[in-house]
Amino acid sequence: MSVRTDVVSLFEQVAAQQKKKLAPLLDELVLLDSGLDSLCLAIIVARLEDTLGVDPFTAAQDADFPVTLGEFIRFYDDAVR
Amino acid sequence: MRNVVVTGGSRGLGLGIARKLTAAGYRVIAIARKESNQLTSAMEEAERDGPGLLHFVPFDLAEIGEIRRLVTTLRKDFGPIYGLVNNAAIAFDGVLAIMHNSQIEHLVRVNTLSPIVLTKYIVRSMMADGGGRIVNVASVVGFTGYSGLSVYAATKASMLGFTRSLAREVGRLGVTVNSVAPGFVDTAMTQNLDAEQRQQIERRSALRRLPDVDDVANAVEFILSDKAKSITGTVITVDAGNTA
Ligand SMILES: NC(=O)c1ccc[n+]([C@@H]2O[C@H](COP(=O)([O-])OP(=O)(O)OC[C@H]3O[C@@H](n4cnc5c(N)ncnc54)[C@H](OP(=O)(O)O)[C@@H]3O)[C@@H](O)[C@H]2O)c1
């Protein structure tokens, strides 16, 4: 569960810093509808690399970015495992 | 102490920039393939006299696949990175029609692909840390024509375009991105110029001389300083008026 906690708190932190209004963080939430733009998502990926020590996007073979929050969290869950 | 990474910091302009920044109190991390004697003495000098520090990290910037690991190591060993000076580059001149494809590819790899990928990983760490400065060393050859330098010119012009768009992308994060475009300066890179070509460049320059390494290093130091906090997405030309 700690990956989820880290991800959720970073979404909240970055939204506050970048003055964005965050949608409720449900698993089905489409990231592009979360209220955060792609730069915010990049900040989250950079900070997660610091906290979790992984960057699944560089490690991944293809260039697909997860679509929903649930997929995003699973992506990191799989990477830290 | 603020950390600044200077690629190609072992010789020429990069060494001049590294010395200048060390004297201004930064902790400079110079990257190149080989440590030069001049760099060794500059590091000893910095150690002795301060106020900044100068370190050397050997790395071949043509190894694109290893750049991410380099940045991870730099952050682990030195902490947050405040500034990046993309200075390392190579130059071969030659007529395009007979230039070997492998040479064209190598120029683009070292001068364009490598600084872009290095910036990618360092800007990520700046994002995580909340700000920073990126300086790309371009060249007047990026906006004026010189026969025999078409591929090199393409790589230097690429830095100018990269600078402007990246500045727009990361400005919100407090990261500035600028270029410095030197004119011809006496370094190993320009040793192929003969006396007559050099005089011709001097004659065509408004100030009737070439800029020196220190002039270019001053511009870089300014961009990294707090005085330049509102300057981003632009280019400072240091060419003694050659392209005026
Ligand atoms: N000199 C000029 O007139 C002039 C004019 C306009 C713009 N510029 C620009 O200024 C910058 C510096 O030029 P310079 O004249 O100082 O060149 P230089 O004297 O030839 O020095 C080049 C530096 O880059 C490093 N380097 C080259 N290939 C590398 C690689 N694969 N991996 C890591 N480091 C590498 C070299 O160290 P190693 O060989 O040990 O790796 C050296 O420290 C360049 O971007 C150049 O385009 C120069």
Side-chain angles (χ1 to χ4, degrees):
Chain A
M1 277 325 274
S2 88
V3 170
R4 176 177 295 269
T5 322
D6 286 339
V7 170
V8 166
S9 76
L10 267 174
F11 267 73
E12 287 164 352
Q13 190 188 320
V14 171
Q17 278 166 358
Q18 295 289 320
K19 303 190 172 52
K20 304 281 181 195
K21 198 173 165 336
L22 203 56
L25 294 176
L26 307 172
D27 270 6
E28 318 67 77
L29 176 68
V30 172
L31 291 172
L32 289 176
D33 299 335
S34 64
L36 301 184
D37 59 13
S38 53
L39 187 70
C40 294
L41 293 174
I43 302 172
I44 292 172
V45 170
R47 296 212 178 130
L48 280 173
E49 187 179 5
D50 276 356
T51 41
L52 303 176
V54 292
D55 170 18
F57 300 102
T58 296
Q61 292 300 325
D62 48 40
D64 293 342
F65 201 85
V67 175
T68 65
L69 180 64
E71 286 168 20
F72 185 86
I73 293 172
R74 215 168 312 125
F75 213 55
Y76 276 93
D77 251 335
D78 292 346
V80 293
R81 221 168 265 146
Chain B
M1 207 179 282
R2 281 169 162 174
N3 291 318
V4 179
V5 174
V6 178
T7 67
S10 64
R11 293 186 275 121
L13 286 173
L15 178 64
I17 293 166
R19 279 181 189 277
K20 176 74 63 181
L21 297 180
T22 307
Y26 294 95
R27 183 199 278 134
V28 175
I29 302 140
I31 294 175
R33 286 165 300 179
K34 291 183 307 286
E35 184 175 330
S36 66
N37 294 336
Q38 295 155 289
L39 177 64
T40 311
S41 31
M43 288 195 293
E44 287 165 2
E45 226 171 87
E47 180 102 6
R48 204 177 49 232
D49 307 334
L53 284 168
L54 180 53
H55 299 271
F56 175 65
V57 174
F59 185 79
D60 182 351
L61 289 160
E63 300 289 333
I64 307 293
E66 295 298 313
I67 290 179
R68 174 168 185 251
R69 211 171 338 210
L70 168 74
V71 176
T72 309
T73 312
L74 291 177
R75 272 193 94 199
K76 202 155 66 232
D77 293 350
F78 300 101
I81 299 169
Y82 165 76
L84 166 64
V85 183
N86 281 311
N87 162 81
I90 49 175
F92 331 113
D93 52 353
V95 175
L96 179 66
I98 54 171
M99 208 177 193
H100 200 277
N101 287 358
S102 66
Q103 273 190 313
I104 297 175
E105 204 176 308
H106 196 63
L107 267 171
V108 174
R109 174 182 295 268
V110 174
N111 293 8
T112 297
L113 187 57
S114 176
I116 290 176
V117 174
L118 179 64
T119 304
K120 168 183 167 178
Y121 289 109
I122 290 192
V123 95
R124 281 169 76 135
S125 90
M126 290 174 176
M127 278 176 174
D129 302 330
R133 297 283 157 96
I134 295 165
V135 182
N136 296 313
V137 179
S139 167
V140 291
V141 180
F143 40 78
T144 56
Y146 284 85
S147 172
L149 287 178
S150 61
V151 181
Y152 173 77
T155 67
K156 293 285 118 181
S158 76
M159 287 292 96
L160 298 170
F162 180 57
T163 295
R164 288 187 199 284
S165 288
L166 186 65
R168 291 207 172 261
E169 192 170 305
V170 297
R172 242 169 64 200
L173 304 171
V175 178
T176 71
V177 191
N178 291 287
S179 298
V180 169
F184 285 92
V185 182
D186 268 316
T187 66
M189 193 178 268
T190 47
Q191 69 190 4
N192 291 341
L193 286 181
D194 59 32
E196 196 188 324
Q197 284 171 308
R198 187 182 315 273
Q199 279 161 16
Q200 192 181 43
I201 296 168
E202 287 176 4
R203 251 195 332 272
R204 287 185 184 166
S205 300
L207 300 176
R208 298 288 186 274
R209 56 176 171 78
L210 304 182
D212 57 29
V213 169
D214 211 43
D215 294 322
V216 178
N218 280 328
V220 174
E221 185 197 345
F222 172 66
I223 293 175
L224 288 172
S225 75
D226 293 330
K227 291 178 185 159
K229 68 182 184 346
S230 303
I231 299 177
T232 194
T234 193
V235 50
I236 299 185
T237 301
V238 185
D239 69 346
N242 185 252
T243 53

